[in-house]
Amino acid sequence: MSQLKVDSIIPRGGLPSGASGGIIQIVQTVKSDTFSANTGGSFVDITGMTVTITPQSASNKILIIPSLNMAANQSHRHGFIIVRGSTTIHIADAASNRTRSTAFQGNPPTSVNSYHYCVPFLDSPSTTSATTYKLQCRGEGSNTDIFVNRGESDTDAGDRFRGASSMTAMEVGM
């Protein structure tokens, strides 16, 4: 079997003005099981929502696309953050005591609800070393349970749903 390997493919007419290279590589993780945790008022890792990519060039960017189904008990507020290594990225500015996050849900109307989050972010890790991205979640207060890929009410019935979440990392040539 023949293989053709190249660093990038540029259209015959060249790239349009201001355009960059293209997608160099794609890495994805899929979480089809459920996760639950009492976050105790702190951000905790969501098991299975981690992806590692090794950029080919330090000048390239990484497009992170989290697709997350999440709920909290007792209609509590909840949110998540994207973390590169040990550094939180793509979060709100500091504002007094408010919790900084990538995305969040305010007071949900019912504990049965689960919310889908898709918040793409173009990151500049500036490295050619293996880079790990992960998602962390947090509920309001110290006694909030968080649920991924299910609602709080997970009764074994046909009107209760479960979902799948994923995280995709794409190296974008610059």
Side-chain angles (χ1 to χ4, degrees), residues 25-123:
Q25 61 175 314
I26 301 172
V27 180
Q28 182 181 63
T29 189
V30 174
K31 181 171 184 60
S32 57
D33 61 346
T34 62
F35 168 85
S36 61
N38 186 308
T39 62
S42 300
F43 282 99
V44 299
D45 292 352
I46 300 174
T47 306
M49 290 300 286
T50 300
V51 65
T52 300
I53 190 167
T54 304
Q56 293 183 8
S57 170
S59 63
N60 289 345
K61 296 184 183 284
I62 304 296
L63 178 61
I64 299 296
I65 306 173
S67 176
L68 179 65
N69 296 297
M70 188 168 62
N73 70 325
Q74 304 170 6
S75 302
H76 283 146
R77 298 172 192 93
H78 56 281
F80 78 94
I81 55 175
I82 304 171
V83 180
R84 178 198 340 111
S86 60
T87 303
T88 303
I89 59 173
H90 190 39
I91 61 170
D93 291 341
S96 190
N97 293 316
R98 295 167 186 89
T99 299
R100 301 167 70 194
S101 68
T102 298
F104 68 94
Q105 173 61 44
N107 286 56
T110 168
S111 62
V112 178
N113 290 345
S114 180
Y115 298 87
H116 179 257
Y117 301 89
C118 185
V119 188
F121 178 66
L122 192 60
D123 186 38

